[in-house]
Amino acid sequence: MAKMTNLSGQTLRYYDRIDLFKPIYTDALTNYRYYTESQLYTLDLIKSLKYVGTPLDKIKEVQHYAVEDMIPFLEEQEKRIENQLAQLKEAQYILRKTRKQMLEQLSIPSFGEVYEKREDASRILCLEVTNVTAESTSAEDTIKLMKAIENEGSVQTTRYGSIYPLKNYHSISDIIYQFIFIPILTEKSIELAEDNITVRLMPSGRYASIAFVYSPKAYIEHYKKLYAYIEKKQIQTEMDVFEIVMPMHYSPNKEEQVIVELKLKIED
């Protein structure tokens, strides 16, 4: 029976022990188990249901179903697998988006200098804020976004950011955020309960950007570089600055450092 069904003798003995699949006869002297060919049908059912993840206790119950009762049970199993496939597809999409973000970070052409690049459109989950700056961002605001995205059955990215108007700022404390946001990794539509949390689109197109390792002094210096670049080249922009914050590493044993990328959508 083990050879015919490609199961181990150990598995057959276990099935016997838990009363899932018992031999027709067990020799009391030798303890040899004997099976009939007709039992192959039962074992095929057990193997099929086990393959699709049905628990052994449930398989034990299902063996006693009539054929007409088996059909709705199998439909239920099919629906369960469809849900699992959807979850796996979602997980695959999240992995791809996360990997894409990391590749984009590695492909930053130079730190401290303005560069231009083309970007695809991406959805972001935004929280409208008041009197929030780069030096005064509240953890509570970020938690609101985290909870909102997790309530939709997705996960937070390792990035976060903000949006504020393009102006000739002289100090980092002068920059007042309009929104803070996290990128959306899921393809699913998102329904939000709070009025001040919205889904916005970071449009596709060409962006003028600058990246640097964060410090308050470095922030305003590099912002001024980006602003001067726009002014000098007389570039038409969307007038909103997107600030992206990303970790330099993920090790708990290293000093925390983050990279900031400031970018503006420009006309081609």
Side-chain angles (χ1 to χ4, degrees):
M1 181 61 78
K3 290 180 180 178
M4 291 176 69
T5 60
N6 199 31
L7 290 172
S8 68
Q10 181 181 1
T11 297
L12 290 172
R13 287 190 291 272
Y14 176 67
Y15 286 175
D16 180 12
R17 192 162 62 250
I18 65 173
D19 295 327
L20 175 65
F21 181 73
K22 300 187 76 66
I24 290 294
Y25 168 72
T26 301
D27 190 307
L29 294 177
T30 65
N31 208 31
Y32 284 180
R33 292 165 171 83
Y34 293 88
Y35 301 86
T36 65
E37 289 187 11
S38 62
Q39 287 185 283
L40 287 170
Y41 298 110
T42 303
L43 201 52
D44 283 342
L45 175 66
I46 292 171
K47 289 173 64 178
S48 298
L49 293 177
K50 187 172 182 295
Y51 181 77
V52 298
T54 308
L56 294 181
D57 286 345
K58 187 65 177 179
I59 296 175
K60 189 187 300 185
E61 176 188 329
V62 168
Q63 290 182 86
H64 303 288
Y65 284 8
V67 173
E68 58 268 26
D69 297 323
M70 188 73 77
I71 292 173
F73 168 76
L74 293 176
E75 289 174 346
E76 182 184 325
Q77 298 305 297
E78 185 177 358
K79 185 175 181 180
R80 177 177 60 82
I81 291 171
E82 286 174 353
N83 291 335
Q84 290 176 341
L85 287 172
Q87 290 176 349
L88 286 172
K89 184 179 179 183
E90 174 75 2
Q92 182 185 43
Y93 182 82
I94 289 171
L95 284 172
R96 285 177 177 169
K97 291 283 285 186
T98 304
R99 180 167 58 89
K100 184 174 182 288
Q101 288 179 347
M102 291 181 176
L103 288 171
E104 287 172 351
Q105 180 174 332
L106 291 176
S107 67
I108 292 174
S110 60
F111 280 76
E113 301 298 331
V114 179
Y115 51 90
E116 295 185 17
K117 63 176 180 177
R118 180 166 292 280
E119 295 196 16
D120 297 329
S122 60
R123 294 192 304 160
I124 53 178
L125 188 66
C126 297
L127 171 67
E128 189 173 2
V129 292
T130 55
N131 299 321
V132 175
T133 71
E135 296 179 297
S136 64
T137 303
S138 168
E140 292 181 1
D141 290 335
T142 306
I143 289 171
K144 286 181 183 178
L145 290 173
M146 290 169 59
K147 286 184 176 179
I149 202 71
E150 289 173 2
N151 287 341
E152 293 299 315
S154 189
V155 294
Q156 185 196 357
T157 178
T158 56
R159 295 181 170 191
Y160 59 93
S162 63
I163 304 171
Y164 57 87
L166 176 68
K167 295 180 181 179
N168 188 16
Y169 300 108
H170 298 289
S171 167
I172 189 171
S173 59
D174 295 332
I175 300 173
I176 308 297
Y177 294 161
Q178 295 174 319
F179 300 91
I180 63 171
F181 68 84
I182 56 176
I184 297 174
L185 298 183
T186 179
E187 287 184 299
K188 297 185 297 187
S189 60
I190 294 180
E191 297 180 6
L192 299 165
E194 297 189 48
D195 293 337
N196 62 342
I197 298 181
T198 56
V199 175
R200 295 186 59 175
L201 189 70
M202 188 179 295
S204 63
R206 194 157 189 83
Y207 284 78
S209 307
I210 191 167
F212 53 93
V213 178
Y214 174 79
S215 74
K217 181 179 179 182
Y219 193 108
I220 196 63
E221 287 177 355
H222 289 87
Y223 176 85
K224 287 180 177 180
K225 272 191 178 183
L226 180 61
Y227 187 86
Y229 181 89
I230 298 297
E231 290 282 289
K232 182 178 179 180
K233 296 207 168 191
Q234 298 183 335
I235 295 174
Q236 298 297 315
T237 75
E238 297 288 331
M239 303 304 292
D240 273 339
V241 180
F242 291 94
E243 171 199 293
I244 308 293
V245 180
M246 59 198 93
M248 289 188 68
H249 59 79
Y250 299 90
S251 172
N253 300 321
K254 294 182 180 179
E255 181 183 357
E256 181 182 0
Q257 286 184 304
V258 295
I259 296 170
V260 175
E261 183 182 40
L262 305 177
K263 55 187 180 182
L264 289 156
K265 185 177 182 299
I266 59 179
E267 294 184 358
D268 293 329

